[in-house]
Amino acid sequence: MTCRYSCKKCMFNTNNFNDIKRHFYKKKQCKRSINSFNLSDDYLFILSLISDQNNNEIIDKLNYLKNSDIVYKNKDKLFNDIFMIEKDKNKRCIYCNKEFNKTSDVKEHIIMYCFYNKVKNNTNNSTDKYNIIESNNDNKNSFNTYNITNNNNNNINNNINNNINNNINIYLELKTPIPFDNDWDTSKIDREKKEYLVLSNFMYSKLLEEILKNEINLNVIIDKNTDTNIVYKNEMDSYIQMKSKDIIDNTMDKLKKHLLEINSTLKENILIDCIDVSKRIIEKKYNNYKNNKDIQSSVKEIISKIYEDKKEDALNISKNFNNEIMRTIHKGF
């Protein structure tokens, strides 16, 4: 059977291990799909290096990677070890000396287990609670075994199940986000705050911060580390990727519209002259953004930072559509 590999971050797929290796060396990192958020770099990386036909068998064995990135950071060393194993057609692990029937089994074993422990031990020289290598004391000449103890397994699985159950309860309370192309819900911003916003020198950014306090407005997920931008489109399309410029332009368009609407409803409590000045400033700031590239760059940084600060909350909202994110991505494997 032909082996099939797929990047669990972006779902690029190939039948060649060297292709998936090259994929992880691209100058520009691949962009995360919505299902890969909240999964660690090592978890995604190692599953990507294991043939898809074996993924379902090993998923439960990788709980120790849920907060890890040390394997990915040392991928040069890992790939070099794999190259030497394949070159020598080695059937014995170069770290623990355990023997296997096939070279491919040695490679998979190192990717999943031994390399992690080697790097982990070199990093801190301490016993890791997720360390999957246990010494076999029955035979001084025997080599290490590679199973997490039943107690550790039960504890880890129980913790994960409890977290999942707790998270599901939280997700059920969350509402469907407003589609990104639609106007936001500003009903939770009180009148006093609105008066402050339209007279503020930072009216655009401050309004966005207030808007994103309402969970149904959390329809943007930005991750600067991977240059990934995802927005909630609608119930049919769910989440889609979108260019940064399009997100910022759309955001500025909606902020201007909402500011002008707020401006027009506050005439009872604020001097007409102030209202008129506020309206001109709203228009001027927007036009400056549209016509000045330096301002566009600054605005992009400010708005992106505001969205990124709400990334975790927006991810929680997104899980309404993925139900339980781990189960969804695993099903795709």
Side-chain angles (χ1 to χ4, degrees):
M1 181 181 293
T2 302
C3 291
R4 178 176 172 271
Y5 302 91
S6 58
C7 173
K8 300 309 185 289
K9 186 190 292 186
C10 70
M11 301 315 294
F12 160 80
N13 61 80
T14 177
N15 292 330
N16 192 308
F17 181 83
N18 286 330
D19 287 342
I20 200 73
K21 172 185 173 181
R22 283 190 287 269
H23 178 73
F24 283 104
Y25 279 105
K26 290 168 58 178
K27 281 189 177 181
K28 188 173 183 180
Q29 289 189 24
C30 61
K31 295 183 177 181
R32 286 180 178 268
S33 66
I34 184 65
N35 287 335
S36 73
F37 277 96
N38 279 355
L39 298 177
S40 74
D41 287 342
D42 280 357
Y43 191 96
L44 295 168
F45 179 58
I46 288 179
L47 273 178
S48 300
L49 300 183
I50 303 298
S51 171
D52 285 351
Q53 67 195 48
N54 296 329
N55 273 174
N56 290 331
E57 300 174 8
I58 68 170
I59 284 170
D60 292 336
K61 301 177 182 178
L62 299 181
N63 291 326
Y64 67 98
L65 293 172
K66 66 178 184 177
N67 295 313
S68 173
D69 64 0
I70 60 174
V71 176
Y72 184 75
K73 287 181 177 179
N74 290 274
K75 61 180 181 292
D76 290 353
K77 169 63 174 168
L78 174 61
F79 284 131
N80 183 67
D81 289 347
I82 291 172
F83 171 78
M84 295 304 298
I85 289 169
E86 292 177 331
K87 178 184 176 183
D88 298 337
K89 298 182 180 180
N90 200 343
K91 296 181 181 179
R92 184 188 293 266
C93 177
I94 59 177
Y95 294 118
C96 70
N97 288 323
K98 184 176 180 180
E99 292 192 33
F100 295 86
N101 293 326
K102 298 184 294 185
T103 298
S104 59
D105 292 337
V106 180
K107 183 173 74 171
E108 185 171 298
H109 160 82
I110 288 176
I111 290 171
M112 286 180 57
Y113 303 127
C114 266
F115 188 79
Y116 169 84
N117 284 280
K118 174 70 173 179
V119 176
K120 189 73 173 177
N121 289 333
N122 286 344
T123 300
N124 55 24
N125 291 319
S126 63
T127 302
D128 181 44
K129 66 179 178 178
Y130 295 118
N131 196 328
I132 56 176
I133 298 181
E134 294 182 331
S135 176
N136 185 342
N137 295 321
D138 295 334
N139 186 338
K140 291 183 179 179
N141 295 320
S142 64
F143 301 110
N144 294 330
T145 58
Y146 303 90
N147 297 305
I148 305 176
T149 63
N150 288 334
N151 287 336
N152 283 345
N153 251 337
N154 290 334
N155 289 336
I156 293 171
N157 289 333
N158 287 338
N159 288 336
I160 291 174
N161 288 334
N162 289 336
N163 288 336
I164 289 173
N165 290 333
N166 290 336
N167 286 339
I168 288 175
N169 290 334
I170 294 172
Y171 302 156
L172 290 175
E173 297 174 1
L174 298 175
K175 298 177 182 178
T176 302
I178 292 173
F180 181 68
D181 291 334
N182 294 3
D183 292 337
W184 292 295
D185 177 4
T186 60
S187 62
K188 291 189 176 182
I189 305 176
D190 61 37
R191 185 180 181 87
E192 182 178 353
K193 179 65 70 174
K194 288 179 178 178
E195 290 177 358
Y196 161 75
L197 288 170
V198 295
L199 298 176
S200 170
N201 192 41
F202 307 101
M203 55 181 63
Y204 278 83
S205 60
K206 293 299 181 183
L207 175 57
L208 181 59
E209 289 174 354
E210 288 298 319
I211 284 170
L212 297 185
K213 291 179 181 179
N214 185 346
E215 63 184 22
I216 66 173
N217 292 326
L218 295 173
N219 51 24
V220 176
I221 300 171
I222 286 180
D223 187 342
K224 283 188 175 181
N225 293 330
T226 59
D227 192 29
T228 300
N229 311 298
I230 297 174
V231 302
Y232 175 66
K233 181 69 173 176
N234 51 46
E235 289 187 9
M236 180 176 293
D237 298 319
S238 189
Y239 286 81
I240 64 171
Q241 291 194 353
M242 183 175 287
K243 294 179 180 179
S244 295
K245 185 179 186 309
D246 293 336
I247 291 177
I248 306 304
D249 283 347
N250 181 293
T251 298
M252 287 296 291
D253 290 346
K254 290 191 294 185
L255 287 173
K256 176 192 174 186
K257 180 178 180 180
H258 283 299
L259 283 168
L260 290 175
E261 288 174 349
I262 293 172
N263 177 280
S264 66
T265 61
L266 298 180
K267 293 182 179 180
E268 296 178 6
N269 293 350
I270 301 179
L271 293 172
I272 295 298
D273 287 347
C274 292
I275 293 295
D276 290 341
V277 170
S278 170
K279 183 178 180 180
R280 290 198 296 272
I281 293 175
I282 293 169
E283 297 281 4
K284 182 179 179 180
K285 285 180 176 291
Y286 179 81
N287 291 333
N288 286 343
Y289 166 76
K290 286 294 187 181
N291 299 318
N292 188 308
K293 289 187 177 181
D294 290 336
I295 292 178
Q296 288 173 11
S297 179
S298 298
V299 168
K300 177 184 176 181
E301 286 296 316
I302 293 170
I303 290 181
S304 295
K305 178 66 166 56
I306 294 172
Y307 277 132
E308 191 168 31
D309 286 345
K310 301 295 288 186
K311 182 180 73 172
E312 295 304 320
D313 294 334
L315 279 170
N316 285 339
I317 294 288
S318 76
K319 291 171 187 174
N320 274 334
F321 296 91
N322 297 317
N323 293 320
E324 201 279 301
I325 194 167
M326 297 290 284
R327 183 180 64 186
T328 301
I329 192 169
H330 292 165
K331 184 178 179 181
F333 294 165

